[in-house]
Amino acid sequence: MPDIASLRKTLEKHGQSHLLRFWDELDEPGRAVLTEQIAAIDFDQLDQWIAQYVRKRPLARPSGDIQPPAVVPAKPTDPAVLAEHQAASQRGEELLRAGKVAAFVVAGGQGTRLGYEGPKGCLEATPVAHKPLFRVFAEQVLAASRRTGAAIPWYIMTSQANDVATRAFFRQNRYFGLKPEDVFFLVQGTMPAIGLDGKLLLAEKGSLALSPDGHGGCLAAMKKSGALADMAARGIELISYFQVDNPLVRCLDPLFLGLHSLRGSEMSAKALPKRDPMERLGNFCLIDGKVIVIEYSDMPDDLARATTADGRLRFSSGSIAIHILSRSFVERLTAGRGAALPFHRADKVVPCVDESGKLLRSDKPNAVKLEMFVFDAMPLAGRTVILQTQRNEEFSPIKNATGEDSLPSSLHDQIRRSAAWLERAGVTVPRDADGQVAAAIEISPLFADSAEALAAKVDPKKVITGGQNLYLGE
Ligand code: UTP
C-alpha cells in the first residue's frame, strides 16, 4: 500500500488532490479504505479516459459503410438451413454431454430503473411459485445437467455492491440444488465517477464514488478472478452468456451452442426482429465485414428507419444480450493488459460530498460514468454467428418498475409462453374473450425446459380450469 506522501504526489500530478481533502478527519480503517481505492486507479490511464470521454464527447455516429449483417433465421424453410439447424442442435447437445459448456450470467448491474433493494437475481419473478430469478436459471442448469449427465458449471458475475448479498442468497437457498463446487462467483471491476470538470467524486469523505464497469467488464473479470483458468481446467470450451433480468432466456440452448461450434464462431449473438425502428435494442450492423452493435441511441435515424423494397426494416435485428463466447476468444482478448473494449459515456446524477463535506444530490447530471458493453467484443471476433429468435419464446426482461419490460409484463409473457407450450402439446388452455390466457401457469425447467420436452411429458387430456394457479414442477 503506498504511503500518504507518494499518494499526495500522484494526486497532485494528476489534478486530483481534492480526494484527500478530509484525510485528517478519517480514522485508520477509513484511511486504509480510501488509500486502497486510490491505489487501485491507474492515473495515467485515467487522464487518457478523461481526455477521450469526459472533455470530449465521443462521436456517436459510427463511420464507414453500414450494412445489415447475415442472420440465421429462427424458423428456417430452406432445406439446407433446416438441416444445419438439426445438425447444430445435435452438436450442441453433444457439447453439453461432453462437459464443454459453462453458463455465465452477468448480475453486477445496479438495477436503478427497477428500484429493487438487493441483487436483481433475488427478485421473485415467476407467476405461480414466485421463484427468484437466480432459481429460474439454476433450475435450467440443473435440468441440462440431469439430461446430459454432465457437470455444467455456472459462473455468476457480481459487483462490489452486491457480491456479499448474492453469495449469501445462494448459501441460504442451498445453491438451488446445484453442487456448490460448480457455482463460481466473480466480482466485476469498478470505475470511478468523474465530475464534468474531470475531477473524481467522493461519495463520502473517505470513499470515492465508484460504480461497476459495465457488463463488458466480464471479460477482464473472468481473467482476473481465475474463472477463465477454472474453465480451462474443467475443459470448458463454450461460455453461454446471459443477463440476470430475463426469465425467458434459454441459458443453455443446444441449437445456439451447436451453430456457434459448427460455424467456427468466436462470438455469437441472438437477435430479435425489432418491433419498430426506434425500439430500445442495439442494432446489429456490418461495417467493413465486421459485425458491430450500434446502440439505439447512436443509430443514425435514417438508417434506423430505412426499409427494403418490400417494406421491411433494413436494420431489423435487435440485440438481446444473449451470447456464446469461445473460451479461447476470451483468453485472446484478455491476454494483454485486459480486454480493450471501448467505454460508453453516460451522464448521471451521482450524489457526492462538496468541499465542506456536505452530501449533495444534484438535480441534473453532474458526473460521467464509463461502462464497457460486452457486444463491443463482436467486431474483435474472427467469426460470428447471429441467430434470430422469437420474442415470445425468449425475451421478456425486467428492467422497469411498471409498464413495458417490467415484472407485470414479464409475468404475463411467462404465462403466455407456458400456455403456448401446453397448446403445442395438445392441452386445452382456458382463454378469455380477448384470447388472453385465463389461468396462471408456470412450468419449472425441471419439469420441461422446452416445448418439445413438455410435449413428451404432459398428458394432452390434462384439464386446466379458468382462474387456476397451475404449477408443473418436479
Ligand atoms: P442493464 O444495462 O439493464 O443495467 O444491465 P442495470 O444496471 O441492471 O439496470 P439499470 O440500467 O441501472 O436500471 C443488463 C445486464 O447487465 C448486467 C446487469 O446485471 C444485467 O444482467 N450488468 C450491467 C452487469 O453485470 N454489470 C454492469 O456493470 C452493468
Side-chain angles (χ1 to χ4, degrees):
M1 205 53 73
D3 61 37
I4 179 68
S6 67
L7 215 57
R8 269 192 211 287
K9 223 164 124 196
T10 308
L11 292 176
E12 252 163 52
K13 184 172 157 213
H14 295 275
Q16 304 285 357
S17 302
H18 62 286
L19 297 180
L20 295 179
R21 186 176 279 142
F22 305 106
W23 183 260
D24 293 341
E25 297 177 36
L26 302 178
D27 58 13
E28 275 314 313
R31 287 178 177 182
V33 168
L34 186 60
T35 305
E36 197 180 330
Q37 288 180 347
I38 295 173
I41 296 173
D42 175 342
F43 282 92
D44 290 326
Q45 172 77 86
L46 180 75
D47 284 347
Q48 283 177 24
W49 289 334
I50 292 173
Q52 190 179 349
Y53 295 106
V54 182
R55 303 232 185 267
K56 281 196 284 191
R57 224 165 245 280
L59 202 60
R61 185 177 180 131
S63 57
D65 177 29
I66 306 178
Q67 297 289 333
V71 174
V72 180
K75 295 268 165 216
T77 45
D78 180 319
V81 186
L82 194 62
E84 188 188 26
H85 263 237
Q86 281 159 355
S89 295
Q90 207 175 328
R91 167 70 76 92
E93 198 66 12
E94 282 161 17
L95 287 163
L96 284 164
R97 220 175 298 133
K100 294 188 186 300
V101 181
F104 189 100
V105 66
V106 284
Q110 294 174 304
T112 36
R113 283 170 286 172
L114 183 65
Y116 172 73
E117 273 296 314
K120 215 192 241 189
C122 306
L123 176 78
E124 294 182 357
T126 65
V128 182
H130 308 294
K131 289 177 194 169
L133 286 160
F134 282 133
R135 183 179 285 281
V136 174
F137 310 132
E139 290 189 359
Q140 287 195 43
V141 175
L142 195 55
S145 181
R146 284 182 185 167
R147 186 181 74 242
T148 58
I152 301 177
W154 184 19
Y155 297 82
I156 298 164
M157 186 172 87
T158 63
S159 60
Q160 269 181 13
N162 70 19
D163 183 65
V164 171
T166 304
R167 288 177 201 244
F169 193 67
F170 272 75
R171 273 197 309 274
Q172 282 152 20
N173 287 283
R174 296 170 190 270
Y175 294 81
F176 307 105
L178 297 167
K179 288 194 184 129
E181 62 269 27
D182 289 337
V183 181
F184 189 118
F185 297 94
L186 56 152
V187 188
Q188 72 176 108
T190 52
M191 280 297 286
I194 308 168
L196 299 175
D197 57 359
K199 306 271 183 215
L200 299 189
L201 301 181
L202 286 169
E204 296 164 30
K205 288 181 175 177
S207 179
L208 301 187
L210 297 169
S211 50
D213 58 0
H215 43 69
C218 70
L219 303 179
M222 279 190 225
K223 167 86 177 276
K224 196 168 166 210
S225 64
L228 260 187
D230 185 72
M231 289 178 197
R234 290 170 185 260
I236 297 298
E237 287 175 9
L238 303 186
I239 303 165
S240 187
Y241 170 106
F242 56 95
Q243 300 193 329
V244 78
D245 52 22
N246 177 18
L248 286 192
V249 70
R250 280 196 82 174
C251 305
L252 297 153
D253 178 3
L255 167 66
F256 190 34
L257 290 160
L259 263 182
H260 175 96
S261 168
L262 286 180
R263 291 201 176 193
S265 170
E266 286 195 309
M267 179 164 178
S268 301
K270 281 196 180 172
L272 277 187
K274 277 168 41 190
R275 262 196 290 239
D276 60 77
M278 294 303 148
E279 185 174 2
R280 293 168 149 240
L281 295 178
N283 295 275
F284 284 108
C285 299
L286 195 69
I287 303 183
D288 299 331
K290 292 283 176 196
V291 169
I292 68 160
V293 176
I294 304 181
E295 275 192 279
Y296 58 88
S297 50
D298 294 343
M299 187 73 172
D301 213 51
D302 52 324
L303 289 186
R305 294 181 190 281
T307 50
T308 55
D310 56 3
R312 285 176 301 159
L313 280 182
R314 193 154 167 259
F315 293 89
S316 59
S317 296
S319 169
I320 50 172
I322 303 174
H323 298 285
I324 307 290
L325 294 134
S326 293
R327 172 175 56 83
S328 54
F329 175 55
V330 181
E331 284 169 351
R332 179 157 67 73
L333 289 188
T334 55
R337 277 189 63 196
L341 298 184
F343 281 106
H344 294 251
R345 168 181 175 155
D347 292 20
K348 297 267 166 124
V349 173
V350 175
C352 60
V353 294
D354 67 4
E355 296 97 73
S356 65
K358 206 167 100 207
L359 187 63
L360 294 181
R361 194 184 162 85
S362 164
D363 50 10
K364 56 180 191 310
N366 61 325
V368 170
K369 279 193 182 180
L370 297 178
E371 288 194 7
M372 287 174 278
F373 294 163
V374 74
F375 57 65
D376 283 326
M378 290 286 287
L380 307 176
R383 284 199 193 159
T384 55
V385 170
I386 304 173
L387 171 63
Q388 198 175 81
T389 185
Q390 294 167 293
R391 192 181 293 266
N392 293 349
E393 279 291 312
E394 264 197 89
F395 189 62
S396 187
I398 302 170
K399 301 274 187 198
N400 306 312
T402 54
E404 209 172 79
D405 295 344
S406 64
L407 180 58
S409 69
S410 181
L411 291 173
H412 179 262
D413 291 342
Q414 290 174 60
I415 293 173
R416 197 165 57 171
R417 185 180 75 172
S418 298
W421 285 11
L422 282 164
E423 284 171 340
R424 272 162 69 183
V427 178
T428 303
V429 172
R431 290 184 178 269
D432 64 17
D434 299 329
Q436 300 293 335
V437 181
I441 308 172
E442 179 175 339
I443 302 168
S444 164
L446 295 173
F447 185 81
D449 61 359
S450 65
E452 297 73 34
L454 184 73
K457 204 161 174 181
V458 80
D459 177 359
K461 291 202 276 304
K462 184 169 185 62
V463 178
I464 308 174
T465 50
Q468 188 183 346
N469 273 345
L470 173 67
Y471 177 69
L472 298 178
E474 270 193 286

